[in-house]
Amino acid sequence: MSYLIWGISIAVLVDGIFVMGWGIFMVPFIQDHYFIRLAVLAFFAAFLLSIWFRTGYYLTGQTLTIYYGPFKKKINVKEIRSICFVKIPFIAPALSTQQIQIKYSKRKTIRISPRDPEVFVQFLKVRATFAIKA
């Protein structure tokens, strides 16, 4: 799934650079101004690269901090109600389809994909009590 997203992203970037004439740059005002197009492309590329290289999960004390590009989310470990292992290809702060779904608070859910899910869950279990679903 990530190959598909990256393929589409690269196609949009190539379109803007080599002027193939489709996508967001069909707007006449933007198409006539090369520097505006380049600025939009640079912003888009920086955003995608920040998501790719700045996705991470840190467990410090009683807080699970999730970084996903320019976004940051903090979850109190004591609020985690359940964890289950899922394979969902939809967008989440996870770069893999093999994800851990964390239910916390009352009705909040987030999916992450640490490098070693089993070890990550064991670290979480030391700090909190919750149910693990298969």
Side-chain angles (χ1 to χ4, degrees):
M1 187 65 169
S2 72
Y3 291 121
L4 177 67
I5 293 170
W6 281 100
I8 292 170
S9 303
I10 289 171
V12 169
L13 291 173
V14 167
D15 170 51
I17 294 170
F18 297 110
V19 192
M20 292 178 196
W22 53 275
I24 191 172
F25 302 107
M26 291 181 71
V27 178
F29 172 74
I30 293 177
Q31 199 165 14
D32 292 339
H33 295 84
Y34 181 75
F35 293 111
I36 294 175
R37 283 198 338 238
L38 200 56
V40 169
L41 289 172
F43 175 77
F44 184 68
F47 181 73
L48 287 177
L49 289 172
S50 73
I51 288 174
W52 188 262
F53 289 109
R54 198 171 179 258
T55 297
Y57 322 104
Y58 302 96
L59 191 58
T60 55
Q62 293 297 317
T63 304
L64 170 62
T65 307
I66 300 168
Y67 290 97
Y68 187 59
F71 309 107
K72 178 179 163 183
K73 179 147 193 84
K74 289 187 176 188
I75 299 172
N76 187 344
V77 175
K78 299 287 185 188
E79 293 180 357
I80 296 176
R81 296 179 314 151
S82 69
I83 287 181
C84 70
F85 296 91
V86 295
K87 289 185 180 182
I88 301 175
F90 298 116
I91 297 173
L95 298 176
S96 171
T97 56
Q98 298 177 349
Q99 303 168 359
I100 297 173
Q101 181 171 314
I102 300 174
K103 292 185 180 182
Y104 64 100
S105 223
K106 289 191 177 192
R107 293 186 180 131
K108 296 182 180 178
T109 303
I110 194 163
R111 292 184 311 272
I112 61 173
S113 62
R115 285 185 189 150
D116 193 348
E118 309 294 335
V119 172
F120 190 82
V121 169
Q122 291 304 319
F123 276 115
L124 278 175
K125 279 184 83 169
V126 169
R127 293 178 168 85
T129 57
F130 50 83
I132 299 178
K133 299 177 184 176

